[in-house]
Amino acid sequence: MTKQSLTLYLAAPRGFCAGVDRAIKIVEMALEKWGAPVYVRHEIVHNKFVVDGLRDKGAVFVEELLECPDDRPVIFSAHGVPKAVPAAAAKREMIYVDATCPLVSKVHIEAQRHSDNGLQMIMIGHEGHPETIGTMGQLPDGEVLLVETVEDVATVEVRDPERLAFVTQTTLSVDDTIDIVKALQERFPGIVGPHKEDICYATTNRQEAVKAIAPKCDAIMVVGAPNSSNSKRLVEVGARAGCDYAQLVQRATDIDWRALNGIKSIGITAGASAPEVLINEVIDAFKDRYDTTVEIVETAVENVEFKVPRVLREPA
Ligand code: SF4
């Protein structure tokens, strides 16, 4: 049977970012340095394949510090943690390594600085996401107000409208966030904030790349996990940028082939925590079924790298 032809537009950049790469390296280096088990508070990055791979090497994933014994090292995930978590680890004299992405730590520092200057903080983020919990947890309970939508901005109750600052989650939709920031600035003209928002380079670049391929594609596959914020945003951005069918898949077995019946073009991208091996698996699945021509659509070149914490660079 002859295969139907298909143009596969591969978005670049896609997949792993520098913060994810560093966080995974931290767990691997901790296992080398201290041996198994090494405890990790929360999924180190939101990807089951990555987490399962590290579990096989001896990492133990838990949700709370209380689940870790005092005498084994613990690593905090790339999403960041409330200040109370390292404080509790220090009190128990545990060895701990913070794998919080440096771009998330930068937001933590911003929030603290504004608060020290007497400003009340507003965070634009998703309720319940570990990054939002971590950033809000840099300040005492109730000090950071959360807004998720433009509608929330209209109802948020602040202490003093003249003494406000905002920060954002790093993995939001760039376009939605512009609208929320605009609404904040209209309601509170004196509000202080970053130049644009705190969305990181990796989130921005992946959203730009998916926007570039979306109008050419009959369908888009975003490789990523259902709990990965930046992957879910890529699905939304792809759909809004002109592709009628955008689907989040963890790996090739998730592809709904029936829904793709009759397509002539497919776009592929991946969230910042999706490994290249899973992206290649999805590409190969299309190559198996179609006579595929791959076109790489590159909208940015990334060369960001973050160092691992010093404790892991020193000999045991
Ligand atoms: S998505 Fe951005 S903030 Fe999150 S780990 Fe990657 S670089 Fe850091």
Side-chain angles (χ1 to χ4, degrees), residues 16-21 23 45 78-79 99-104 131 170-171 198-203 206 230 272-273 304 306:
F16 273 13
C17 60
V20 162
D21 204 45
V45 299
H79 315 96
T100 302
C101 175
L103 300 180
V104 175
E131 184 185 328
T170 58
T171 51
D198 298 298
I199 298 173
C200 74
Y201 79 96
T203 300
R206 279 149 194 71
N230 76 87
S273 44
V304 181
F306 297 128

Side-chain angles (χ1 to χ4, degrees), residues 18-270:
V20 162
D21 204 45
R22 171 180 180 268
I24 296 168
K25 236 184 248 163
I26 287 175
V27 180
E28 287 171 345
M29 289 175 79
L31 283 163
E32 262 169 47
K33 179 162 179 155
W34 292 298
V38 160
Y39 284 72
V40 184
R41 185 187 175 280
H42 194 68
E43 287 190 345
I44 185 72
V45 299
H46 285 156
N47 190 281
K48 186 179 168 336
F49 183 87
V50 171
V51 167
D52 287 348
L54 292 171
R55 192 180 282 122
D56 288 346
K57 293 181 186 170
V60 178
F61 290 88
V62 295
E63 280 309 309
E64 294 301 336
L65 196 64
L66 279 173
E67 298 168 63
C68 308
D70 291 349
D71 60 352
R72 293 306 306 163
V74 58
I75 294 163
F76 306 142
S77 80
H79 315 96
V81 286
K83 260 194 184 155
V85 175
K91 201 164 169 201
R92 287 169 59 190
E93 298 183 357
M94 298 169 81
I95 297 175
Y96 65 89
V97 187
D98 191 355
T100 302
C101 175
L103 300 180
V104 175
S105 300
K106 185 173 145 255
V107 180
H108 291 180
I109 293 165
E110 256 171 57
Q112 184 66 60
R113 183 169 52 85
H114 289 313
S115 175
D116 291 348
N117 289 335
L119 304 181
Q120 187 178 21
M121 292 306 308
I122 294 182
M123 173 160 196
I124 305 173
H126 294 297
E127 187 168 17
H129 188 278
E131 184 185 328
T132 302
I133 295 170
T135 301
M136 293 179 73
Q138 298 308 301
L139 297 176
D141 268 0
E143 272 304 299
V144 186
L145 304 167
L146 180 68
V147 298
E148 296 190 82
T149 61
V150 168
E151 291 71 42
D152 289 349
V153 174
T155 53
V156 69
E157 287 180 22
V158 303
R159 252 193 323 254
D160 177 353
E162 308 289 325
R163 310 278 302 148
L164 289 175
F166 75 89
V167 289
T168 78
Q169 200 178 319
T170 58
T171 51
L172 300 175
S173 146
V174 174
D175 295 334
D176 288 347
T177 308
I178 288 173
D179 292 343
I180 301 173
V181 169
K182 220 163 90 197
L184 277 174
Q185 288 167 335
E186 271 166 19
R187 185 166 170 214
F188 309 112
I191 195 165
V192 175
H195 174 53
K196 286 199 304 195
E197 14 64 11
D198 298 298
I199 298 173
C200 74
Y201 79 96
T203 300
T204 309
N205 288 347
R206 279 149 194 71
Q207 289 179 15
E208 280 307 310
V210 84
K211 274 187 201 171
I213 60 168
K216 310 169 194 262
C217 298
D218 292 332
I220 288 177
M221 298 289 109
V222 177
V223 184
N227 57 343
S228 157
S229 172
N230 76 87
S231 305
K232 288 193 286 188
R233 300 297 81 80
L234 287 175
V235 175
E236 294 165 5
V237 171
R240 269 195 231 159
C243 178
D244 289 341
Y245 183 81
Q247 193 195 359
L248 184 68
V249 291
Q250 300 207 61
R251 58 190 314 164
T253 44
D254 290 349
I255 300 170
D256 181 356
W257 294 106
R258 259 189 304 181
L260 300 177
N261 224 346
I263 57 162
K264 298 271 183 295
S265 55
I266 185 82
I268 293 183
T269 185

